[in-house]
Amino acid sequence: MKATLLEIDLHNAIRQQDELALSKLYFMYGEQIVSLLKYLFQEAAAKDEADIYQAVNDAFLGYYRNPDTFNPKLGSLLAFLRVAAKRDMLNIISGQKKHLSREKLPPNVELQENFWNRITESDYCTDAAIITEETLEQIDKLFRRHFRTDMDIALAKMIISGERKTELYSEVLGMEGLGIEEQTASVRKHKDRIKQVLKRHNVEAEIKKLIP
Amino acid sequence: MSTKLKLLETAVARLEQDPDSMASVLKKYGESENLSAAELVSYFDCSEETYCKLALCRVLNVEAADFPKKLNTLSEYTGISAALLNEVIKKVHLIAQFSRVSGKRFSVAARDKKNEAGDDRQE
């Protein structure tokens, strides 16, 4: 999906250093992207919400200061910012992990910070990442059109991806406590139900159409 | 506090160090008038969200020919009176100019003093 006219206007305003542009950007997409990160990084959000805000600010201010990293012909601004914010959140988490692992080192061990042991993350949102993000979003929308609950969507995704292990389906269905025979029977029943919906709406073919 | 307001406040806090942002202008104005951010919100007679909306804007160039036009646009966008915005922006601009001039004077005076001391030694 390409950038909308509203996004193109805002992008041009940012490039021309319009006085209101950054403020408009925050009001247009700020809340939406914070909610997405809170959903994707639930554990990190529960630990310290400030990291989520930092990641969103890094993404927005990074784009604001280097607007040419976004190409409106290749994708939407929303998808670009979502990818950038997720990348910045992953960088924050990896930075924290690195810091924690350093703290655990015995005092006489010297960690040599050089090119070879430095973890580097790309500073750019690749076009491929944006396209993948948008395709996944469209596939998710497709599933939501046919299934009402997150559990059914998870089961449908497992069936489409060819998953066969009963214990994994049981886990999704929350039936780990039941006996094996009972689990197998129930999993089969749920799988049949989901497969019927997938077949009736030709979901697999629809997904293939969405993949570029 | 809402998610939106928390995000806006953290963004404003980061932009306070950026001299091109209204966040930095508002901070300097608050310091000069001894007003906190909460007091500035009352001063502008607006909500906290509107205050952030203003702070996230780029600072207007007081010396540009289209300053009055842009001031009106900013006032329309934020709903804050153009007269108040004009006062705040121009005062901070004056403070910046004053500190630049007094900084220069100070360095010229220091240089002269140094030269005089050097002359004394030569004599």
Side-chain angles (χ1 to χ4, degrees):
Chain A
M1 192 198 293
K2 287 181 186 172
T4 62
L5 288 176
L6 206 64
E7 289 180 337
I8 294 171
D9 278 349
L10 185 58
H11 175 62
N12 288 335
I14 287 175
R15 292 185 73 213
Q16 287 154 18
Q17 304 200 324
D18 177 88
E19 284 80 5
L20 313 182
L22 179 66
S23 183
K24 284 181 180 173
L25 179 72
Y26 268 91
F27 276 80
M28 196 164 162
Y29 288 138
E31 202 176 0
Q32 206 174 329
I33 295 192
V34 168
S35 302
L36 173 81
L37 289 198
K38 277 187 182 174
Y39 173 73
L40 292 175
F41 300 94
Q42 293 176 14
E43 203 182 314
K47 212 160 72 182
D48 192 359
E49 250 189 11
D51 291 339
I52 302 278
Y53 296 115
Q54 189 192 331
V56 177
N57 285 325
D58 285 346
F60 278 44
L61 296 174
Y63 160 62
Y64 178 66
R65 286 170 183 146
N66 296 294
D68 289 331
T69 49
F70 166 63
N71 183 348
K73 286 177 189 160
L74 291 175
S76 72
L77 181 58
L78 177 61
F80 175 84
L81 291 170
R82 270 203 308 242
V83 172
K86 274 201 284 193
R87 175 208 63 202
D88 289 326
M89 189 64 205
L90 289 171
N91 280 347
I92 291 170
I93 292 171
S94 97
Q96 286 169 347
K97 278 185 186 159
K98 206 170 156 189
H99 179 73
L100 275 176
S101 64
R102 268 193 202 164
E103 274 183 348
K104 283 175 191 164
L105 285 173
N108 57 346
V109 174
E110 195 178 321
L111 183 74
Q112 205 183 351
E113 179 79 38
N114 62 27
F115 179 82
W116 303 106
N117 64 21
R118 195 171 61 222
I119 298 165
T120 54
E121 301 277 347
S122 167
D123 277 334
Y124 300 98
C125 297
T126 61
D127 298 337
I130 294 168
I131 291 166
T132 307
E133 171 79 13
E134 293 200 326
T135 307
L136 287 173
E137 193 190 322
Q138 283 175 337
I139 291 173
D140 212 54
K141 273 186 192 163
L142 178 72
F143 278 119
R144 289 196 184 281
R145 259 206 317 271
H146 300 302
F147 300 98
R148 283 187 187 167
T149 65
D150 287 342
M151 191 180 77
D152 281 358
I153 291 172
L155 294 175
K157 283 180 180 172
M158 287 167 80
I159 290 169
I160 290 220
S161 61
E163 183 54 64
R164 298 178 66 86
K165 286 180 187 160
T166 303
E167 60 265 34
L168 293 178
Y169 285 97
S170 295
E171 214 178 296
V172 172
L173 290 163
M175 301 188 310
E176 299 103 309
L178 299 178
I180 291 175
E181 277 181 24
E182 227 175 328
Q183 280 187 32
T184 313
S186 189
V187 164
R188 192 179 300 136
K189 214 169 93 185
H190 279 284
K191 277 174 79 175
D192 287 346
R193 179 175 58 83
I194 301 287
K195 275 179 185 171
Q196 273 179 10
V197 179
L198 291 172
K199 198 175 167 188
R200 198 182 316 135
H201 299 285
N202 213 3
V203 177
E204 206 163 344
E206 290 292 313
I207 291 173
K208 280 181 185 160
K209 276 188 215 163
L210 291 173
I211 297 169
Chain B
M1 192 190 289
S2 72
T3 297
K4 188 178 185 180
L5 190 57
K6 270 190 207 166
L7 172 69
L8 296 175
E9 284 188 355
T10 52
V12 171
R14 275 177 68 160
L15 284 169
E16 280 176 350
Q17 309 304 320
D18 178 353
D20 290 331
S21 75
M22 278 300 294
S24 119
V25 167
L26 293 170
K27 189 174 183 242
K28 281 178 193 152
Y29 186 77
E31 282 167 1
S32 75
E33 298 291 312
N34 214 7
L35 293 171
S36 65
E39 286 167 327
L40 279 174
V41 169
S42 320
Y43 178 68
F44 288 125
D45 193 19
C46 66
S47 64
E48 288 170 326
E49 198 173 299
T50 305
Y51 176 83
C52 293
K53 197 175 187 180
L54 169 66
L56 292 174
C57 292
R58 183 181 279 272
V59 68
L60 306 184
N61 180 0
V62 174
E63 286 156 10
D66 61 354
F67 174 73
K69 191 181 153 199
K70 290 204 165 170
L71 187 69
N72 282 330
T73 310
L74 185 63
S75 168
E76 271 171 33
Y77 176 66
T78 56
I80 297 172
S81 122
L84 273 180
L85 291 175
N86 185 41
E87 186 197 314
V88 170
I89 295 169
K90 285 197 172 155
K91 181 161 187 185
V92 172
H93 178 69
L94 268 176
I95 294 170
Q97 274 192 327
F98 178 75
S99 46
R100 212 173 300 141
V101 170
S102 54
K104 263 187 197 165
R105 276 195 193 144
F106 178 76
S107 57
V108 168
R111 190 190 60 210
D112 289 348
K113 205 171 177 184
K114 201 176 165 188
N115 285 346
E116 277 169 25
D119 292 345
D120 289 347
R121 271 199 302 275
Q122 276 173 6
E123 283 165 14

